[in-house]
Amino acid sequence: MTDRQPLFIGGEWMEPDGGHYPVTDPATEETAGWAPEASVAQARAACATAREAFALWSRTRPEERAAVLGRAAELIRGRLDPYADLARAETGATTRTARAMQVGVAAARFRRYAGVEPAEWAVVPQVNAAGPMGGAGVTGALAVRQPVGVVSCITSYNNPWANPAGKVAPALAMGNTVVVKPAPQDPLSVYRMAQALEAAGVPPGVVNVVSGRAVAVGEAVVASDDVDMVSFTGSTAVGRGIAEACGRDMKRQLMELGGKGAAIVFDDADLGSAVAGIGTTFSFYSGQICTAPTRVLAQRAVYGRLVERLAAYADRLKVGDPREPDTVVGPVISDEHRARVEAYVELGRKEGAVLAAGGERPRLERGFYVSPTLLADCTNDMRVAREEIFGPVVVVIPFGDEDEAVALANDSEYGLIDYVWSGDTARAFRVARRLRAGGVGINTVSRNMEAPFGGFKRSGVGRDVGVYALHAYSEVQAIVWPG
């Protein structure tokens, strides 16, 4: 491969019609590589070749598809270091995050879907008094998972390995073909994934990758008549536009959208655990993650202590070069995004929030860095408490009793993942069941990668991860016969 990345369409590496554009390292502001700018015609061609490849790929035995995914997993693991170096350069993630949470998780996801559960299961027989043809009898049935067809996978910039792998691997395992449209900020890693799949033996046209900064490229892979499903991770605003387009053509959709996760901290909570969990908002992808506990609801008896400890935690974190082993907080993705995050911090101060930590740009010569920032004494009607900032910014809101905590948590247009910290396990589970969120972490921010993942309200449509992804990327067919 040259320094100027080609497109991957129909098993061929081809030059983009629109030339190349620079991918900027957010830590150094230098060019990390040159990404291809596809034309609308090339995006449509990728969808058409995926349609052609679907007929054969969907009829391959699941064991054959699994073998390809398994080989891809091993190839990705074998190239962990260079792949992680590229991911770090594209995203600004720390070396540890790039290795473990980006490339490492991608390899694990390919390995996970190399072992696919049976695609059919028996339905309980039904005794019929009389059928449409007359006479009593027993009717048997079988439910069968069938591939949807061609899936457009439109991925987010915060994790160019784990996010695409979470779409591509289960889609391929179920017999679908894919067209991947990576985020324009960091598409080079997705092309490395395509290289691994090609080397693993994926047939031509089964996996296609087209990138570009032009909105029209993404619109083309959504609107194409050859596409049966769109799987999107990104903002709620963009997701709504995609959902409207899918609705017009009755296309399947899977949407992982924005979040404004509430972290409820009761007065009997282990504050050390709560601070460490909430603190991941500052460090994990520099807060550029929709599952972050960015909206802290603290019971008044512990409010002051929690703010004090969160502020001290934020101030201790090293912000700087993600290549350095002791760096905890790297840059955000771009200068434009840094300006957006900083504007929210200033807005919070104007709305009446108290700046408890951060708020000033780190004194670093280069890079798009934002200091871990804590805004205290917030109310739930402030924009900083209602809108997704997508940066290392946490807001803290006091509450009185359990009912008020639940009401505040649910008073949001988002509902992706919420969190509860309490020493009373029964109360924690009781509160969790009352929260309008697709997931709830109790005394932890960790996720079980077999548990269903998705959101309520404007945080998304559908569920994936684990076995749920196999359902997401398949249609269920019923086959019925007389017993």
Side-chain angles (χ1 to χ4, degrees):
M1 290 293 168
T2 66
D3 290 335
R4 293 184 178 268
Q5 175 67 51
L7 302 168
F8 188 57
I9 301 174
E12 300 290 334
W13 296 94
M14 61 180 60
E15 289 302 304
D17 291 341
H20 291 80
Y21 66 91
V23 174
T24 302
D25 183 333
T28 65
E29 302 184 44
E30 298 175 353
T31 298
W34 293 87
E37 184 78 50
S39 64
V40 169
Q42 287 176 316
R44 290 172 178 161
C47 299
T49 196
R51 169 61 63 199
E52 293 174 7
F54 173 70
L56 181 61
W57 180 250
S58 63
R59 291 198 304 269
T60 58
R61 293 185 301 113
E63 295 81 3
E64 295 177 28
R65 301 196 295 261
V68 171
L69 297 179
R71 289 193 295 269
E74 294 309 310
L75 286 168
I76 293 169
R77 282 198 183 104
R79 297 169 186 169
L80 177 63
D81 288 337
Y83 286 169
D85 287 344
L86 177 60
R88 183 190 61 219
E90 286 194 286
T91 66
T94 63
T95 298
R96 181 181 302 177
T97 296
R99 287 174 59 88
M101 301 307 298
Q102 295 189 351
V103 183
V105 169
R109 285 181 167 172
F110 277 104
R111 171 54 58 193
R112 158 65 179 92
Y113 293 107
V116 176
E117 290 84 354
E120 57 185 45
W121 60 98
V123 177
V124 176
Q126 179 177 324
V127 178
N128 295 317
M133 300 176 66
V138 178
T139 301
L142 189 68
V144 180
R145 277 201 299 254
Q146 299 278 17
V148 178
V150 176
V151 182
S152 287
C153 303
I154 304 176
T155 65
S156 60
Y157 71 72
N158 59 346
N159 195 327
W161 277 96
N163 183 258
K167 300 177 185 296
V168 172
L172 295 184
M174 286 309 307
N176 302 284
T177 56
V178 299
V179 178
V180 187
K181 165 57 176 69
Q185 297 92 334
D186 50 8
L188 300 178
S189 290
V190 180
Y191 286 103
R192 299 298 182 273
M193 185 182 298
Q195 289 176 7
L197 285 162
E198 180 188 33
V202 69
V206 171
V207 175
N208 307 271
V209 185
V210 291
S211 57
R213 294 174 295 183
V215 173
V217 176
E219 291 176 340
V221 301
V222 170
S224 170
D225 290 338
D226 290 308
V227 169
D228 301 290
M229 174 179 173
V230 177
S231 176
F232 171 71
T233 299
S235 72
T236 296
V238 175
R240 291 173 74 175
I242 292 174
E244 289 172 2
C246 289
R248 285 192 294 270
D249 295 327
M250 295 299 174
K251 293 179 180 178
R252 288 279 299 278
Q253 56 183 287
L254 180 62
M255 299 280 177
E256 181 198 337
L257 306 177
K260 192 70 177 180
I264 301 174
V265 182
F266 285 102
D267 56 12
D268 60 352
D270 180 336
L271 291 189
S273 171
V275 168
I278 295 164
T280 60
T281 301
F282 303 130
S283 57
F284 196 46
Y285 301 130
S286 300
Q288 299 168 114
I289 183 166
C290 53
T291 59
T294 56
R295 188 168 52 112
V296 178
L297 309 177
Q299 198 159 22
R300 286 189 174 86
V302 293
Y303 177 84
R305 282 184 289 150
L306 183 63
V307 169
E308 182 179 343
R309 293 181 65 167
L310 279 171
Y313 184 95
D315 288 338
R316 287 196 303 269
L317 300 177
K318 179 187 174 182
V319 180
D321 189 340
R323 294 170 296 185
E324 297 295 331
D326 59 341
T327 293
V328 180
V329 183
V332 295
I333 194 67
S334 67
D335 189 30
E336 293 80 7
H337 189 58
R338 174 175 60 179
R340 179 181 183 274
V341 174
E342 290 176 337
Y344 266 110
V345 174
E346 182 59 27
L347 173 63
R349 296 174 69 174
K350 290 179 179 179
E351 289 181 312
V354 174
L355 188 64
E360 295 182 356
R361 185 176 293 187
R363 296 181 179 179
L364 297 167
E365 292 184 3
R366 308 190 77 179
F368 311 128
Y369 294 96
V370 176
S371 294
T373 299
L374 183 69
L375 295 172
D377 295 355
C378 295
T379 59
N380 212 43
D381 59 351
M382 293 179 177
R383 284 182 58 192
V384 289
R386 304 197 70 80
E387 299 176 12
E388 187 176 38
I389 298 173
F390 221 60
V393 180
V394 172
V395 303
V396 192
I397 302 167
F399 73 87
D401 59 16
E402 180 179 313
D403 288 340
E404 184 183 8
V406 171
L408 287 170
N410 288 337
D411 181 19
S412 171
E413 67 179 20
Y414 297 110
L416 188 55
I417 296 186
D418 286 343
Y419 304 87
V420 180
W421 269 275
S422 175
D424 184 337
T425 302
R427 174 167 65 177
F429 274 87
R430 181 175 66 246
V431 169
R433 294 292 295 270
R434 296 176 65 189
L435 296 176
R436 298 288 296 163
V440 181
I442 293 179
N443 295 325
T444 184
V445 293
S446 297
R447 283 174 53 197
N448 182 322
M449 298 310 293
E450 288 298 314
F453 179 70
F456 288 12
K457 298 182 279 188
R458 294 186 182 179
S459 284
V461 176
R463 296 293 182 271
D464 68 355
V465 179
V467 70
Y468 299 92
L470 300 176
H471 287 280
Y473 292 96
S474 63
E475 296 279 15
V476 178
Q477 178 187 61
I479 300 176
V480 181
W481 64 91

